[in-house]
């Protein structure tokens, strides 16, 4: 059986092996991913270009939905599916479902490596501050 993913079709067994437990472990990164995405969209809106990459109203819509994702995550209602593979695609899926194309535009000028690095740094920083 083959499943569609955002990068094409991947054999179900290959997807299960490569994603492994990532989707379960990534639930701990939901808040960090949402914080990083909120900061990124604010940066996109502040860029001195015409037309703006994102308008103020779009930033507010995205950040409001990111806040709802955090609330749902804290309540155990936000899920990362095998098809999502990780927290980044799960958040994008939710933003796109709620905000349409705007949900995809939040990744303008941002690589997956950027997202991973920001998420891990924010996660680590919060944990270190909690330990003090």
């Amino acid at each position: 059986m083959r499943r569609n993913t955002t990068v094409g079709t991947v054999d179900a067994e290959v997807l299960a092996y490569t994603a492994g437990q990532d989707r379960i472990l990534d639930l701990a990164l939901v808040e960090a991913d949402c914080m990083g995405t909120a900061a990124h969209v604010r940066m996109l809106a502040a860029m001195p270009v015409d037309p703006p990459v994102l308008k103020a109203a779009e930033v507010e819509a995205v950040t409001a939905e990111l806040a709802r994702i955090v609330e749902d995550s804290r309540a155990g209602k936000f899920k990362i599916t095998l098809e999502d593979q990780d927290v980044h695609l799960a958040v994008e899926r939710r933003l796109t479902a709620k905000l349409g194309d705007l949900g995809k535009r939040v990744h303008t000028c941002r690589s997956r490596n950027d997202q991973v690095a920001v998420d891990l740094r924010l996660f680590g920083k919060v944990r270190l501050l909690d330990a003090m």
Side-chain angles (χ1 to χ4, degrees):
M1 180 171 128
R2 297 179 90 67
R3 296 180 184 193
N4 287 327
T5 67
T6 57
V7 293
T9 55
V10 177
D11 182 82
E13 290 179 21
V14 172
L15 181 60
Y17 176 77
T18 57
Q21 297 299 308
D22 290 355
R23 60 196 175 98
I24 296 165
L25 298 171
D26 273 10
L27 286 171
L29 298 175
V30 172
E31 290 187 39
D33 194 72
C34 289
M35 283 190 290
T37 300
H40 185 75
V41 296
R42 291 194 184 286
M43 178 277 303
L44 289 174
M47 290 174 55
V49 295
D50 189 32
V53 177
L54 292 176
K55 298 175 183 164
E58 292 172 320
V59 171
E60 294 310 312
V62 170
T63 55
E65 189 57 39
L66 290 168
R68 284 189 281 276
I69 291 170
V70 169
E71 289 172 13
D72 285 352
S73 176
R74 289 178 179 169
K77 297 178 184 176
F78 183 77
K79 304 295 181 209
I80 301 173
T81 67
L82 185 58
E83 289 78 16
D84 291 329
Q85 300 175 36
D86 59 30
V87 67
H88 318 296
L89 288 177
V91 169
E92 180 181 335
R93 172 185 47 80
R94 169 77 172 264
L95 290 175
T96 303
K98 298 291 184 175
L99 306 173
D101 186 54
L102 178 57
K104 292 183 182 282
R105 292 177 39 223
V106 301
H107 297 301
T108 302
C109 301
R110 189 179 193 201
S111 72
R112 174 60 62 89
N113 287 344
D114 292 336
Q115 286 180 272
V116 171
V118 167
D119 287 6
L120 293 177
R121 286 183 66 128
L122 288 173
F123 178 83
K125 187 174 185 175
V126 168
R127 294 303 177 272
L128 284 170
L129 292 171
D130 286 346
M132 297 177 101

